[in-house]
Structure formats: structure tokens, C-alpha cells
Amino acid sequence: GECYLAVNNLSNAELKLNSIIDFAKKQGGAYYEAKGSYVLAKVKAAQNDHKNAKSLIEHAKKIAADTNDKALALEIKKVEKDI
């Protein structure tokens, strides 16, 4: 998803990130669900969908808090300031 975002291919980025998030949810991969969510938030922000971008950031932050993952929380904080 991040590669597609880097070249501004937002539709493919969204598709891939949603797949990653769904897979992570099914497999119990909280880190990848959160990471997929905050990268998808960047895609949504690039699409001027700031409401959904903020919602995705909040979801990622909740996962980081629930798993007590300080490094993940820091990653999200860096992204959040640009949303």
C-alpha cells in the first residue's frame, strides 16, 4: 500500500491496504491492522477524505494503546500530524 501511495496510485493503495487490514484482523495481527489503518489514513487524507482519515488514525491509536505498543504509538503520532 505504501508503494502505491508513494506513486499516487490511491485506488490500488486503498485496495491493498484494506486487504492487509482484513487479513490482519482474521489472523490476530494487531500491529499490521494498526499499521494498515494509519497508512490507509494517509491515503484517505490524500483523497481529501479527512473524516475517515481521522477515524482510521483513532482506530490505530486504540490498537497501540490496547497492546501497549509504544513504538507503534510513536509511528502513529508522526503520521497523525500530517492528517
Side-chain angles (χ1 to χ4, degrees):
E2 288 180 292
C3 293
Y4 285 120
L5 178 59
V7 295
N8 206 33
N9 188 336
L10 302 179
S11 59
N12 277 337
E14 185 173 4
L15 182 68
K16 291 296 179 189
L17 289 163
N18 279 320
S19 293
I20 290 166
I21 293 165
D22 288 341
F23 183 77
K25 284 180 183 178
K26 290 175 187 171
Q27 298 298 317
Y31 173 82
Y32 290 102
E33 181 182 350
K35 180 162 180 137
S37 295
Y38 80 69
V39 175
L40 184 55
K42 291 168 48 173
V43 172
K44 292 294 184 181
Q47 294 171 328
N48 290 316
D49 185 354
H50 296 285
K51 181 180 177 189
N52 280 322
K54 289 183 187 297
S55 177
L56 287 159
I57 287 290
E58 291 305 315
H59 178 67
K61 285 168 58 175
K62 182 177 181 334
I63 292 170
D66 290 349
T67 58
N68 198 29
D69 190 331
K70 291 179 175 71
L72 176 59
L74 185 59
E75 290 176 39
I76 296 164
K77 190 173 187 171
K78 289 178 185 175
V79 170
E80 183 177 25
K81 66 182 173 128
D82 296 329
I83 300 289

